[in-house]
Amino acid sequence: RRPASKGRSERMSYVEKTHRFGLLTPSSNTTQEPEFSAALPPTVSLHTGRVAYRDITPEEQMRCVLELEAESRKLADAEVDAIVFAATAPTLAKGKGYDRELIKRMEDASGRPATTAATAFVDALAQLGAKKIAIGAPWSKTMDKPMVDFMEMSGFEVVHSEVVGFVASIDLGRVGPEQAYELGRRTDRPDADAIVMPGGNWPSMSVVERLERELGKPVLANNAVSLWAGLRLLKRGDSIPGYGRLLRDPD
């Protein structure tokens, strides 16, 4: 009979949690929970609600927000300290101001501070002082226009946008980060102050540091930006290395 692993008790050692991070993720998303869990400080625990969202289409964007209040209330049952709806496309589907409507719905239902991925992109770009952006997105051309329109209505000049063409979200979650890296390279333009990479099931967090080093400008990936926004709601100033400038230098 094999002896019990000596290191098991060490791996299971208890770390006191001081904050609870509430994540609202699309039901088909397989990337956000692993990426958030890997990057969150040890004293912050992750708690997830899911909204029905299978394909990256305008119809699914409308369907997923029907569950916003119910899932926000469930996260409130866990007494999370803040909630982030970390999907870009559904949070900007109806143009400027729509993200604020969704935030109000989540906050009214949960009694907790909330934000969205779309809001996080705007806030992060403003903090970085970026005016001109290039957008590299994994979805189809159909989904591109609402993103470009939202960013332009929010005060940014979109100098270029690039798409890959994914429709089934579950397929996107199976793609490795190298394809996200290649998209970031293709998306860059000399006059862009920053690269914006929406798509919560796009495993791009791990390539942000490499892209920033090679391109010499900030690269904002959906999950890194959403994580940053959530930690701001928690009023934490943690420096999280390895995922780009925004998380490394949060203030």
Side-chain angles (χ1 to χ4, degrees), residues 6 64 108 164 192 204 209 223:
K6 191 176 177 183
C64 77
D108 287 350
V164 178
S204 50
E209 191 94 354
N223 294 348

Side-chain angles (χ1 to χ4, degrees), residues 94-110:
K94 293 185 179 179
K96 188 181 178 186
Y98 182 58
D99 57 324
R100 301 290 170 182
E101 290 177 31
L102 299 181
I103 288 171
K104 185 174 189 312
R105 286 172 57 185
M106 289 188 286
E107 290 184 340
D108 287 350
S110 67

